[in-house]
Structure formats: structure tokens, C-alpha cells
């Protein structure tokens, strides 16, 4: 809105100065000056009320239905550059807010333009003539001013459109990330884990292993140290297991909920998968926190091959792993087992 309003004000100023230079008549200078004042008043009104859409339509109505027809008769009619301004008026109107008011104003503007042409054609004496010497000046200055205005306005609109596309693309990417990742740890959430298992792993089950880990005694830490520190512990454990997924490349690491993590890894053998799980368990034992130096964390884990014949779908696989982890974790913590 402000770019369009500024361009209209500048064009109005140049048009008024050009009319005074060409000595066409007092009417053209007065009309141009009045319109420039109206633009200023309308700008103040829009700034105070934030009614930008109605202000844009009012500005277009002033330009198309008052300023341009009056200047057409006062500045030489068909012998001047005023028909170019008519096209510019339609361009300004096309950039206005969508709605029935815009369409009605477009039809009325066309009717006013056609009526202006008809009056100038059948009653040429109502048109103030322009001297031959001034035709070149009028055409040249008008072409330069309108050309610059259209160029600036078009460039601004295209850049705004490109920025909007980039913002929408970034927003979609952000929403997609939030839909697939846990807000606390930043790891994949359970929904993305199920999609990964169903769309990737289950198509080629051989070579994939699933490891589920549980952070031990997190409830006691939450009760004694508070929820914020327990969340910090979960995040630090998530950071470690996330690094394991990055090392594997193309693997999925997810926060399963509560204090459980899942790592879907690619390995050549069960021994390699168990070794990676054991390495993660050992790294967790070395975690420490300056504010609570006496706190030590351990994890328990279950590793199984996704190619096991006892699993008919991904849900059954996860349920089996979760059940075994709960069973063995109640017997012996800080261990990695296979099933």
C-alpha cells in the first residue's frame, strides 16, 4: 500500500510540475495539486486507522474517476500522454484488495475512460490544446516517470511474491519438521518412527535391527531433582543416541515416549548391532552434570532383528520389543539384551 501511495504521490507531483512548465492552464495545476493533497490526507487516514484496503480503493477511485479524466481534458487530450496514465490507473486498481468493490470500481473506471474519450472525440473544443513544442516534452517526461513507476512497482510486487513463496516454503518445512519430531529432544517422534518402519524398513527387512533403550531411575530423578533437570537428562541422552544415528547414516532415531528411545540401525550382523548398542550404553554412563555431580545415568536396552519371522507388522515388532524391555529391565538394569 505504501509503495503504491508513494508512487502515486510522486507521479502526481511530476504531473503538476510538468503542467506548470508547459503552461497548459491553471486548471491542470490546481487538479494535480488537489490530488496530491488528497493522497497525503488518505495516507494519514490509513496510518491512523489501518484501513489499508478501503484506502487503496479510495485512492484508485480518485485517480481513475477524478484525476485522470480532468487532466485529460486540461492537458491536451489525445495529443498528450494522458492515455498512458489511464493504463497506469488500471494497473494500480488491479493491485488492490480482491472483492466485489474492486470489480465494481474497475467497471466504473472503464466507463469513465470510455466516456472521456467519447466527449473528447465529439466535442474537441472542451480539450485544452497543447503546443507542438510541448508534445515531445510531455510524452518523454511522462514515459520516463510512468516507466520508472511501473518498473519499481512491478519489481516490488515480484519480490514480495518471491519472499512470500520462500516464507510459505519455510513454514511448510517447519510444520513438517514439527509433525515428525519430538519437541523436547528434537529426535523423530513415534509417528515418524512408524512411517520409517513401514515405508522403508519393512520393504527390505534384512540388515535392519531395532534397539529400544530405557533410561533407568528417571522417576526418582524427577522427584528428587525436579522435572526440569529430568528433562535435561532426557535431552542429553537423546543427543547421544542422535549422534549414533548420524554415524550410521540413513537410520532412524526416535524418542518413543516417557523415557524410552528407539534406534533403527543398519548392521551387517547381530554382533555389530549389539556392539553399537553396548557402546551407547557405555557412553551414557559417562554423562555428568555440573549442577548435580552425584547423579549418574544408566540405560537398559533390547536389540532384535527386524527380519524376525515372528513379526507380521511394525506394530507387533514394537510391542514385542517394548514388552521384553519392560520384562528384563525389572530384573536387571544397565544391560543390553537380544531377542
Amino acid at each position: 500500500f505504501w509503495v503504491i501511495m508513494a508512487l502515486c504521490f510522486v507521479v502526481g507531483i511530476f504531473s503538476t510540475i510538468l503542467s506548470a512548465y508547459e503552461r497548459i492552464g491553471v486548471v491542470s495545476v490546481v487538479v494535480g495539486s488537489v490530488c496530491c493533497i488528497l493522497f497525503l490526507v488518505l495516507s494519514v487516514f490509513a496510518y491512523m486507522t489501518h484501513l489499508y484496503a478501503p484506502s487503496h480503493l479510495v485512492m484508485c477511485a480518485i485517480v481513475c474517476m477524478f484525476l485522470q479524466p480532468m487532466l485529460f481534458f486540461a492537458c491536451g487530450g489525445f495529443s498528450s500522454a494522458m492515455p498512458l496514465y489511464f493504463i497506469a490507473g488500471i494497473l494500480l486498481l488491479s493491485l488492490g484488495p480482491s472483492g466485489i468493490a474492486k470489480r465494481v470500481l474497475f467497471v466504473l473506471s472503464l466507463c469513465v475512460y470510455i466516456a472521456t474519450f467519447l466527449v473528447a472525440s465529439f466535442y474537441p473544443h472542451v480539450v485544452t490544446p497543447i503546443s507542438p513544442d510541448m508534445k515531445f516534452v510531455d510524452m518523454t517526461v511522462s514515459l520516463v516517470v510512468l516507466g520508472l513507476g511501473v518498473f519499481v512497482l512491478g519489481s516490488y510486487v515480484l519480490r514480495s511474491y518471491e519472499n512470500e513463496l520462500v516464507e510459505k516454503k519455510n513454514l511448510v518445512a517447519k510444520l513438517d519438521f514439527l509433525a515428525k519430531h519430538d519437541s523436547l529432544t528434537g529426535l523423530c517422534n513415534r509417528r515418524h518412527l512408524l512411517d520409517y518402519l513401514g515405508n522403508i524398513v519393512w520393504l527390505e527387512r534384512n540388515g535392519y535391527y531395532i534397539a529400544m533403550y530405557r533410561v533407568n531411575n528417571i522417576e526418582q530423578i524427577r522427584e528428587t531433582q525436579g522435572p526440569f533437570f529430568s528433562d535435561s537428562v532426557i535431552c542429553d541422552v537423546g543427543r547421544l543416541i542422535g549422534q549414533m544415528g548420524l554415524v550410521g547414516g540413513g537410520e532412524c532415531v526416535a524418542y518413543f515416549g516417557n523415557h524410552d528411545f528407539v534406534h533403527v540401525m543398519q548392521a551387517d550382523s547381530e554382533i555389530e548391532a549389539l556392539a553399537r548398542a553396548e557402546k551407547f550404553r557405555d557412553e551414557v554412563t559417562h554423562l555428568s552434570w555440573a549442577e548435580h555431580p552425584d547423579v549418574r545415568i544408566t540405560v537398559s536396552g533390547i536389540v532384535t532383528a527386524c527380519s524376525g519371522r515372528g513379526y507380521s507388522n511394525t506394530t507387533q515388532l514394537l510391542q514385542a520389543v517394548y514388552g521384553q524391555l519392560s520384562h528384563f529391565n525389572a530384573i536387571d538394569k544397565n544391560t543390553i539384551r537380544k531377542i
Side-chain angles (χ1 to χ4, degrees), residues 104-175:
V104 171
L105 184 57
F106 170 70
V107 174
L108 291 176
S109 298
L110 284 181
C111 292
V112 170
Y113 290 162
I114 294 173
T116 302
F117 288 164
L118 289 175
V119 171
S121 299
F122 289 102
Y123 304 97
H125 60 277
V126 302
V127 178
T128 302
I130 184 173
S131 63
D133 297 336
M134 289 294 103
K135 288 184 180 180
F136 173 78
V137 176
D138 184 73
M139 288 289 185
T140 303
V141 174
S142 298
L143 180 62
V144 171
V145 172
L146 288 177
L148 287 175
V150 171
F151 177 80
V152 171
L153 184 59
S155 300
Y156 179 81
V157 170
L158 289 177
R159 187 178 66 177
S160 299
Y161 177 71
E162 292 174 354
N163 292 338
E164 184 178 358
L165 287 180
V166 172
E167 290 177 359
K168 287 184 177 180
K169 183 178 179 180
N170 293 337
L171 178 60
V172 170
K174 183 178 180 180
L175 293 176

Side-chain angles (χ1 to χ4, degrees), residues 301-315:
I302 290 290
V303 178
T304 186
C306 296
S307 58
R309 295 184 177 181
Y311 312 123
S312 58
N313 54 61
T314 57
T315 301

Side-chain angles (χ1 to χ4, degrees), residues 175-228:
L175 293 176
D176 182 67
F177 180 86
L178 293 176
K180 296 179 180 179
H181 291 76
D182 173 66
S183 59
L184 176 62
T185 63
L187 300 175
C188 298
N189 56 23
R190 190 183 305 179
R191 174 185 175 185
H192 182 64
L193 171 65
L194 292 173
D195 290 340
Y196 179 83
L197 288 172
N199 298 329
I200 298 178
V201 175
W202 224 244
L203 300 178
E204 185 70 32
R205 296 167 64 180
N206 293 328
Y208 283 96
Y209 293 82
I210 184 169
M212 182 176 288
Y213 307 98
R214 177 166 298 172
V215 182
N216 299 315
N217 303 320
I218 195 67
E219 294 88 355
Q220 291 85 339
I221 293 176
R222 182 177 290 110
E223 292 176 359
T224 57
Q225 309 296 342
F228 295 106

Side-chain angles (χ1 to χ4, degrees), residues 77 80 115 239 250 270 293 300:
S80 66
R239 175 178 52 80
E270 185 179 68
S300 304

